[in-house]
Amino acid sequence: MQASNQQNTAQDDQVSWWFKLLARGLGTIGGLVAMVMGIMRCLTFTPLCLVAGILELLAGFMVVVLEAPCCCPFLDFIDKIGKFSENRPYWQKGALYVGSGIVPILLCFSTTTVLGCALVFGTGVLYGMMALGKKASREEMLAKATGSDVEMNAGLIEHEQVGLHVPDSPAK
């Protein structure tokens, strides 16, 4: 348990506060939109679309419970789920949200499923970006780029010395 807390604090140091707030806000709004669209999708005669609507409704509820447990104060167990969710690594939340956003779309491709699941999917993408971590500094990227150029030029010089030099094109 302590290892996961250390990993969670290491993740928190890499992600800015506004990006975390953006992910939570998009998750909350996306979950509410997915629930409304899921209810609308359930008004159908097609069995697969009915299942897709139910899954969309469940995905929206899951995202709201995990991202904004304050929206469900009438359920006693929500606080435990919210605390459990906060201790999860970002990649696990991202994979869960992306997966739950894709399945209803694959079952029934319609406007309501795409609109409802797009925000849940987008929340998963944001959590995936948070799991990747911060981008390297400009100096680190330049050092890496110049280091790879030196290796590439050294390889070209070796090939030229061996005799693998391609002759120039004929003059026009």
Side-chain angles (χ1 to χ4, degrees), residues 18 23 39 81 89 93 105 116-117 133:
W18 63 268
I39 291 170
I81 293 174
K93 288 174 121 179
I105 294 174
C117 292

Side-chain angles (χ1 to χ4, degrees), residues 18-99:
W18 63 268
F19 202 77
K20 285 188 247 181
L21 190 63
L22 175 70
R24 289 190 81 105
L26 183 66
T28 304
I29 293 170
L32 294 172
V33 169
M35 286 192 289
V36 170
M37 293 295 170
I39 291 170
M40 290 175 60
R41 181 72 269 162
C42 286
L43 303 174
T44 184
F45 295 113
T46 310
L48 278 179
C49 289
L50 178 65
V51 172
I54 292 170
L55 289 177
E56 186 176 359
L57 184 64
L58 290 175
F61 182 72
M62 175 193 62
V63 171
V64 168
V65 165
L66 294 178
E67 293 300 317
C70 62
C71 292
C72 305
F74 50 89
L75 300 172
D76 339 343
F77 60 90
I78 296 297
D79 289 335
K80 292 177 186 174
I81 293 174
K83 289 177 184 174
F84 176 76
S85 166
E86 289 175 6
N87 293 330
R88 298 289 91 205
Y90 293 137
W91 70 268
Q92 289 178 355
K93 288 174 121 179
L96 179 67
Y97 295 161
V98 165

Side-chain angles (χ1 to χ4, degrees), residues 3 55 59 76 83 91 100-101 119 129 132 138 152 157 168:
L55 289 177
D76 339 343
K83 289 177 184 174
W91 70 268
S100 64
L119 295 175
M129 290 173 58
L132 289 175
R138 185 173 191 271
M152 189 172 71
I157 292 171
D168 293 334

